[in-house]
Amino acid sequence: AIHNIDLSYNYAEPGKYTFNAVFRNNIKRVPHQDETNMINHTLTARQRMQDNSYSPALDLYFQRVLPNEQTITLNLTGTLINSSLMRTYAEADNGVTLTHYLMDVDGSKRSIIGAAIYDKGFKTAMLSAGVRHYQMHDRNEYNGTSPVTSEMNQMRSSAFVEVQGAWRKLNYSVSAGMTRSYFEESDKSHTYYTVTPTLRVSFAPHKNGYLNYRFSTDPQIPSLSALTDVEQAIDTIQISRGNPNLLTYNVYNNTFNYSYSKGKVIAMLNANYSYYDNCIMESVSAEGRHLIIGQDNQKSYQTLQVAPMLVLRGLDFGKLKNFLTLSLEGGFSRYWSYGNNYTQFGLAGQFSKNRNVLFGETIVKGENQTAILATWTHKRLQIGVGMMFPFTNNYKTGRERVSKIAPYTAWNYTKEVGQMAVIRLNYNFEYGKAYRAAQKRMNNSDTESGIL
């Protein structure tokens, strides 16, 4: 069970300033996440796992409107993550235990995120500049079969400047920034610098049509769990190992959108191409009779996704006016995964069907998402009834590793999810005077515990 309990306070004077404070509490309790596998007629493997955490966070947001079209926005977020994870793995032959592994981890992490943005409006353009800093300390005690203590410090600082405006029929946005990332564990430390330019242009090529193109770079820092200099046994063959030598990498995104709208017809085409340079992906290697499962900076990863859509809205159904809306959506995705010791590619099509995604050497087999929901709304009351997966009697998701060293295919089945009834009841309460508060420009949070 996961419980999110938030206590928020908001005070605003329209056109002058906005102050928002949120005290978030995330409570996670998973007492049983168990699996039983039949290896052969007599050999069985059982995994038992408990995963608990408590994460309080205080999020302070302030925006001040100044004279001459100037705005200052500040955000400060502090987070504590206390987590515990216990996993046991045992193999038995005809009831006789052959192998037993225990991993018991107690983790404590604290982090702070601060950000500031300055905006200045001109006659035909808007200038923005900002800074952001993230700093954390993480300590995890691994007890059990392979006891070890991991203690890490990580920082990430970035700054940017952006100009957005319009020239004739063209809307544009140009920005440039730099990010510094730092990681330290024991006697190992790394510092990385990345440049982050962004370009966006949009215009109307003809009547009822609209074109938009965006290019951006997104630096990705290694996760704490991947950087941890720790190894833990998964089973009698596989060992999970962290890699403190991982490097930050860049993702280059290209997004193209075209839309045409006339009357009751809407046609759209969305395309995206992304290139991951020296990205962090899974790494599988053999050491003696063991398989080492970890992550490494591989050569590259590329994705191409094209998705057309046609919508007919406000159609008449007999005497019912504007009763029906129909949409048809399809598309395909292609993936190229270039590792240090392998090359993979994948091609997938989609028409109201599950979507398979290739990353590294693993294909994640998505779910067939179907649902029926009918709702009735009257003033502030909304009542709905429906069914999840009405045409499926056994929900499933899967994974396939196409590695030459350690290939495998696995499916997870959940019979209880198929044909599951859903009831929705919603009622809105409003008290006092209503003001149109400014929308928050920043929503910073920290959710990673750093446990391998």
Side-chain angles (χ1 to χ4, degrees):
I2 298 177
H3 305 280
N4 291 298
I5 305 172
D6 296 350
L7 177 64
S8 63
Y9 171 80
N10 188 83
Y11 184 80
E13 188 171 341
K16 291 186 178 180
Y17 58 84
T18 298
F19 174 74
N20 178 262
V22 182
F23 181 57
R24 293 191 291 263
N25 292 272
N26 177 273
I27 303 172
K28 180 181 179 181
R29 293 290 181 267
V30 184
H32 293 283
Q33 190 172 336
D34 305 336
E35 294 181 3
T36 300
N37 300 310
M38 298 294 298
I39 300 176
N40 55 39
H41 294 294
T42 61
L43 186 62
T44 60
R46 288 185 171 87
Q47 175 182 276
R48 302 289 184 263
M49 189 158 63
Q50 298 179 11
D51 187 4
N52 302 320
S53 66
Y54 172 58
S55 177
L58 180 61
D59 186 345
L60 302 176
Y61 177 88
F62 179 75
Q63 185 177 78
R64 182 74 165 96
V65 178
L66 302 173
N68 302 319
E69 298 187 55
Q70 300 179 94
T71 303
I72 293 180
T73 306
L74 305 173
N75 184 223
L76 184 66
T77 304
T79 305
L80 298 176
I81 302 178
N82 298 312
S83 54
S84 63
L85 175 67
M86 185 174 69
R87 175 184 180 268
T88 61
Y89 176 86
E91 291 183 3
D93 192 353
N94 283 324
V96 179
T97 300
L98 304 178
T99 304
H100 186 272
Y101 293 125
L102 169 65
M103 182 181 74
D104 187 2
V105 188
D106 290 321
S108 176
K109 177 184 177 182
R110 57 181 184 268
S111 69
I112 189 166
I113 305 173
I117 297 177
Y118 169 77
D119 299 303
K120 168 62 178 175
F122 297 93
K123 186 175 181 181
T124 59
M126 172 71 74
L127 173 67
S128 300
V131 293
R132 184 179 186 269
H133 180 73
Y134 163 77
Q135 185 165 341
M136 77 86 206
H137 176 80
D138 188 34
R139 178 184 173 89
N140 295 317
E141 295 184 3
Y142 293 79
N143 304 302
T145 306
S146 303
V148 67
T149 298
S150 170
E151 196 161 356
M152 296 174 284
N153 292 295
Q154 191 174 48
M155 290 182 289
R156 182 180 181 182
S157 302
S158 58
F160 80 94
V161 60
E162 179 186 57
V163 177
Q164 54 181 318
W167 181 70
R168 296 184 179 179
K169 294 183 179 181
L170 181 71
N171 295 315
Y172 66 89
S173 173
V174 181
S175 69
M178 176 172 286
T179 299
R180 177 187 182 271
S181 302
Y182 174 81
F183 166 78
E184 178 188 28
E185 181 181 18
S186 301
D187 58 344
K188 296 181 180 180
S189 63
H190 300 286
T191 302
Y192 327 100
Y193 292 89
T194 52
V195 180
T196 55
T198 300
L199 170 66
R200 180 186 59 82
V201 292
S202 57
F203 65 99
H206 54 78
K207 187 178 180 180
N208 303 321
Y210 193 74
L211 264 174
N212 180 73
Y213 169 76
R214 187 176 188 270
F215 168 79
S216 65
T217 58
D218 186 12
Q220 299 290 316
I221 63 175
S223 65
L224 294 178
S225 56
L227 285 166
T228 305
D229 192 10
V230 169
E231 67 175 42
Q232 295 289 315
I234 300 175
D235 50 38
T236 55
I237 298 176
Q238 301 181 93
I239 295 176
S240 177
R241 178 182 295 171
N243 183 1
N245 297 314
L246 294 174
L247 303 176
T248 293
Y249 65 93
N250 246 330
V251 180
Y252 302 93
N253 295 306
N254 294 269
T255 303
F256 171 85
N257 307 105
Y258 171 76
S259 62
Y260 175 82
S261 177
K262 186 176 182 180
K264 298 183 178 182
V265 178
I266 301 175
M268 290 183 287
L269 176 64
N270 300 314
N272 176 265
Y273 171 75
S274 297
Y275 181 84
Y276 297 58
D277 186 27
N278 293 122
C279 57
I280 297 172
M281 296 191 293
E282 62 184 327
S283 172
V284 182
S285 60
E287 289 185 5
R289 59 183 296 270
H290 291 103
L291 292 174
I292 308 302
I293 313 298
Q295 297 190 55
D296 202 355
N297 286 95
Q298 308 289 354
K299 292 180 180 177
S300 67
Y301 175 74
Q302 303 171 60
T303 66
L304 174 64
Q305 299 172 347
V306 180
M309 183 169 65
L310 178 66
V311 179
L312 303 177
R313 60 181 179 180
L315 301 179
D316 298 337
F317 187 77
K319 295 182 179 181
L320 299 175
K321 302 299 182 182
N322 298 323
F323 176 78
L324 186 64
T325 296
L326 299 176
S327 64
L328 177 65
E329 182 177 1
F332 75 92
S333 302
R334 183 168 182 176
Y335 309 92
W336 297 265
S337 185
Y338 296 97
N340 297 327
N341 300 305
Y342 65 84
T343 298
Q344 309 284 349
F345 76 92
L347 177 66
Q350 177 178 321
F351 181 78
S352 298
K353 193 170 174 58
N354 64 304
R355 176 183 171 190
N356 299 332
V357 176
L358 169 69
F359 189 74
E361 295 184 277
T362 298
I363 300 173
V364 179
K365 301 179 181 292
E367 61 185 12
N368 290 326
Q369 298 183 6
T370 54
I372 298 175
L373 180 66
T375 60
W376 176 76
T377 304
H378 178 70
K379 296 182 179 180
R380 298 181 181 178
L381 175 67
Q382 185 181 78
I383 300 174
V385 62
M387 180 175 290
M388 297 292 296
F389 307 100
F391 311 111
T392 302
N393 58 9
N394 200 340
Y395 168 86
K396 68 176 183 179
T397 58
R399 299 172 67 88
E400 179 182 1
R401 183 192 292 154
V402 290
S403 168
K404 292 182 179 180
I405 298 176
Y408 80 88
T409 301
W411 290 96
N412 296 323
Y413 296 91
T414 309
K415 188 175 182 180
E416 292 79 8
V417 175
Q419 300 172 354
M420 181 173 61
V422 177
I423 298 175
R424 172 182 290 179
L425 177 62
N426 185 59
Y427 190 86
N428 294 320
F429 296 90
E430 294 182 5
Y431 295 96
K433 296 181 179 180
Y435 295 98
R436 185 175 180 179
Q439 185 177 1
K440 290 180 66 176
R441 296 188 57 189
M442 295 178 284
N443 292 280
N444 293 315
S445 63
D446 186 7
T447 58
E448 187 196 0
S449 65
I451 295 178
L452 179 69

